[in-house]
């Protein structure tokens, strides 16, 4: 088999064509090849963040596909969530449980820089894709395992999901209360884990440049759920169990109704508090020593908030946004649909237009990280269709069309 590493494989946005352009440097990870064996959100989006930084990512799905493709969606041709978290990848279907499929994977591993999966710790050895095995195949491989609870401990082999970890880690009880817990929707634990994954892999690649050695990178949803609560996860000696660990500052900073619409205000610092009082006609509050710190305002929330809300009802949320300007951090509550054409989003080129073989044209998130001008900012490809590049990837590995056809006939690839 030939070495896939020897060619620069890049997918045109709307076709399966490959262009070879050695002068194109799409980001600081250009030239890095990532095998993405993960599913759902955290692993796939972590790999997408690597693609955003220039890495070539090959998404390898089992014959039944990534389950995220089957999640509820008003798009008939493809799952909206799958499109959103898998941009910029080549797509391949491979049966790792077959000997032929495993042999193809090993060919890919020999050419790869990074492999990412989210199998439970007990599953990887069964599939013969554990770190110890693949390190023998590629001694420079960066191996990233994403799990629910980590590599050790009584829960190591339990399946982990975002909202399960939210419930377990205290996020739900603090979002609401222990008696009335509330989920934080938006898969926040998954997306934070994705960021940890991308950062961990990038650091491991940097270390490999110095040592030339492989590296194991362990990411878990439990670590993510606790890390994103670092401001809460502090328990001083002698403190009671039920000490208030939240950072909500007494009702001034928060959501408030207006004449039309809802407005979020952040006024914790002294100058923001003074500006808020001045612009709402509540200067008497600013002059009152009972309210001159965040802590004091929290203690007198029942006195301050009703006066603030009475003033805010005089205008709409958008009008207050204009009045407060840069003097009081605030935002009228919008819908995500409003972001597609928001002037600030447009100015920062945060939304790109994609062409998908099944969905057609759609707009979605562009590269979230901005680098200097030495890196191109071309739009990445759309998320791949199921098995879209299986033949292409095999051909780059040196498989003949006949061999690919045989593997397809045997159900090893799709």
């Amino acid at each position: 088999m030939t070495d896939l590493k020897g060619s620069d494989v890049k997918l045109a946005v709307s076709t399966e064509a490959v262009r070879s352009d050695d002068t194109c440097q799409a980001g600081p990870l250009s030239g890095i090849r990532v095998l993405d064996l993960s599913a759902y959100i955290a692993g796939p989006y972590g790999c997408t963040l690597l693609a955003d930084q220039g890495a070539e990512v090959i998404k390898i799905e089992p014959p039944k596909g990534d389950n995220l493709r089957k999640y509820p969606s008003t798009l008939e041709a493809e799952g909206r969530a799958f499109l959103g978290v898998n941009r910029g990848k080549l797509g391949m279907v491979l049966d790792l449980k077959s000997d032929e499929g495993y042999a193809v994977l090993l060919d890919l591993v020999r050419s790869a820089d990074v492999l990412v999966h989210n199998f439970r710790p007990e599953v990887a050895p069964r599939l013969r894709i554990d770190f110890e095995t693949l390190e023998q195949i590629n001694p420079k491989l960066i191996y990233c395992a994403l799990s629910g609870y980590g590599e050790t401990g009584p829960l190591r082999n339990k399946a982990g999901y975002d909202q399960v970890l939210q419930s377990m880690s205290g996020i739900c009880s603090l979002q609401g209360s222990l008696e009335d817990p509330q989920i934080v929707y938006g898969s926040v634990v998954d997306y934070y884990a994705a960021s940890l994954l991308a950062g961990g892999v990038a650091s491991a690649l940097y270390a490999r440049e110095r040592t030339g050695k492989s590296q194991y990178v362990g990411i878990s949803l439990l670590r993510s759920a606790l890390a994103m609560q670092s401001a809460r996860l502090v328990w001083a000696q002698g403190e009671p169990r039920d000490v208030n660990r939240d950072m909500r500052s007494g009702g001034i900073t928060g959501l408030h109704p207006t004449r039309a619409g809802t407005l979020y205000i952040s006024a914790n610092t002294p100058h923001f508090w003074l500006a808020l009082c001045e612009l709402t006609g509540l200067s008497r509050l600013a002059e009152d020593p009972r309210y001159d710190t965040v802590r004091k305002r929290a203690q007198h929330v029942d006195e301050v908030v009703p006066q603030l809300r009475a003033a805010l009802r005089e205008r709409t949320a958008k009008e207050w946004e204009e009045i407060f300007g840069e003097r009081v951090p605030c935002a009228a509550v919008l819908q995500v649909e409003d972001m597609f054409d928001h002037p600030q989003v447009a100015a920062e080129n945060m939304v790109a237009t994609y062409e998908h073989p099944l969905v057609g044209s759609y707009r979605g998130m562009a590269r979230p990280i901005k680098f200097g001008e030495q890196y191109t900012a071309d739009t990445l490809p759309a998320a791949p269709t199921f098995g879209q590049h299986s033949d292409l990837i095999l051909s780059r590995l040196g498989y003949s069309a006949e061999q690919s056809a045989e593997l397809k006939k045997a159900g090893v690839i799709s």
Side-chain angles (χ1 to χ4, degrees):
M1 302 299 174
T2 59
D3 188 355
L4 181 63
K5 193 89 171 175
S7 61
D8 185 33
V9 182
K10 294 185 179 180
L11 171 66
V13 172
S14 59
T15 72
E16 292 187 17
V18 173
R19 61 185 175 89
S20 180
D21 182 0
D22 293 334
T23 65
C24 178
Q25 189 165 329
L29 295 182
S30 180
I32 295 297
R33 181 162 292 112
V34 179
L35 305 181
D36 176 12
L37 277 65
S38 62
Y40 291 99
I41 293 178
Y45 197 67
C47 291
T48 288
L49 292 175
L50 298 173
D52 287 334
Q53 297 173 74
E56 177 191 276
V57 179
I58 300 174
K59 182 172 180 64
I60 301 173
E61 298 182 66
K64 291 184 178 180
D66 184 335
N67 199 42
L68 200 62
R69 289 187 185 272
K70 306 175 182 68
Y71 265 48
S73 172
T74 52
L75 294 175
E76 293 185 7
E78 187 60 273
R80 191 184 309 276
F82 184 88
L83 292 177
V85 302
N86 285 288
R87 66 178 179 271
K89 300 177 183 180
L90 298 169
M92 182 179 194
V93 174
L94 189 61
D95 183 4
L96 299 182
K97 295 180 180 179
S98 69
D99 290 339
E100 298 88 346
Y102 183 68
V104 173
L105 177 68
L106 295 188
D107 283 335
L108 286 166
V109 168
R110 292 184 183 97
S111 72
D113 298 284
V114 180
L115 181 141
V116 176
H117 73 75
N118 65 340
F119 296 111
R120 286 171 288 139
E122 67 178 357
V123 174
R126 288 208 308 262
L127 292 175
R128 297 172 291 172
I129 62 168
D130 52 288
F131 175 60
E132 290 75 15
T133 298
L134 297 187
E135 184 186 28
Q136 299 301 313
I137 304 297
N138 182 347
K140 293 187 177 182
L141 183 69
I142 303 302
Y143 180 100
C144 181
L146 172 68
S147 62
Y149 301 89
E151 300 83 357
T152 59
L155 301 181
R156 63 186 296 268
N157 286 314
K158 183 178 178 180
Y161 294 93
D162 181 290
Q163 294 171 9
V164 173
L165 270 299
Q166 284 193 40
S167 300
M168 172 186 175
S169 66
I171 293 175
C172 294
S173 60
L174 278 168
Q175 180 69 15
S177 65
L178 190 59
E179 295 73 26
D180 183 26
Q182 301 292 324
I183 290 291
V184 181
Y185 288 99
S187 302
V188 291
V189 174
D190 279 339
Y191 281 105
Y192 194 73
S195 296
L196 293 175
L197 187 157
V201 166
S203 295
L205 287 168
Y206 177 70
R208 190 185 69 175
E209 289 299 305
R210 294 181 295 172
T211 66
K213 296 180 180 180
S214 62
Q215 181 68 258
Y216 177 92
V217 179
I219 305 293
S220 76
L221 297 186
L222 178 57
R223 292 191 188 103
S224 172
L226 294 181
M228 65 189 295
Q229 298 186 86
S230 292
R232 297 169 173 172
L233 204 68
V234 175
W235 196 342
Q237 185 174 1
E239 281 191 309
R241 175 182 174 84
D242 294 329
V243 64
N244 183 12
R245 299 182 183 278
D246 210 350
M247 292 180 63
R248 279 173 275 196
S249 40
I252 306 301
T253 288
L255 292 166
H256 299 281
T258 68
R259 190 173 72 194
T262 302
L263 186 72
Y264 185 89
I265 295 173
S266 180
N268 289 333
T269 63
H271 62 283
F272 289 148
W273 166 245
L274 293 177
L276 175 65
C277 293
E278 173 194 334
L279 295 172
T280 54
L282 298 173
S283 295
R284 63 184 182 278
L285 297 182
E287 297 166 359
D288 194 320
R290 293 177 298 168
Y291 313 137
D292 60 6
T293 69
V294 176
R295 185 172 294 181
K296 288 181 181 179
R297 292 193 288 274
Q299 293 169 348
H300 296 279
V301 63
D302 293 337
E303 302 167 14
V304 177
V305 169
Q307 297 181 67
L308 174 62
R309 290 189 171 180
L312 291 175
R313 287 193 183 94
E314 296 297 316
R315 290 182 169 85
T316 68
K318 294 300 292 183
E319 288 172 339
W320 282 118
E321 211 176 40
E322 291 292 328
I323 292 170
F324 290 151
E326 297 181 4
R327 296 187 62 190
V328 180
C330 67
V333 174
L334 303 177
Q335 294 178 290
V336 69
E337 289 80 4
D338 296 316
M339 291 295 96
F340 285 91
D341 298 302
H342 194 285
Q344 184 61 32
V345 173
E348 285 289 300
N349 297 314
M350 294 181 188
V351 172
T353 299
Y354 297 87
E355 297 296 333
H356 190 274
L358 301 179
V359 177
S361 178
Y362 70 89
R363 291 192 290 170
M365 184 68 198
R367 300 173 191 254
I369 303 173
K370 182 183 291 188
F371 293 104
E373 294 181 0
Q374 69 269 33
Y375 300 120
T376 62
D378 296 337
T379 300
L380 289 170
T385 59
F386 187 62
Q388 184 174 358
H389 309 103
S390 296
D391 290 333
L392 170 64
I393 294 166
L394 286 178
S395 70
R396 294 289 179 174
L397 282 171
Y399 286 75
S400 67
E402 292 76 15
Q403 288 173 311
S404 295
E406 290 175 6
L407 290 172
K408 193 172 295 185
K409 183 177 180 181
V412 175
I413 67 168
S414 297

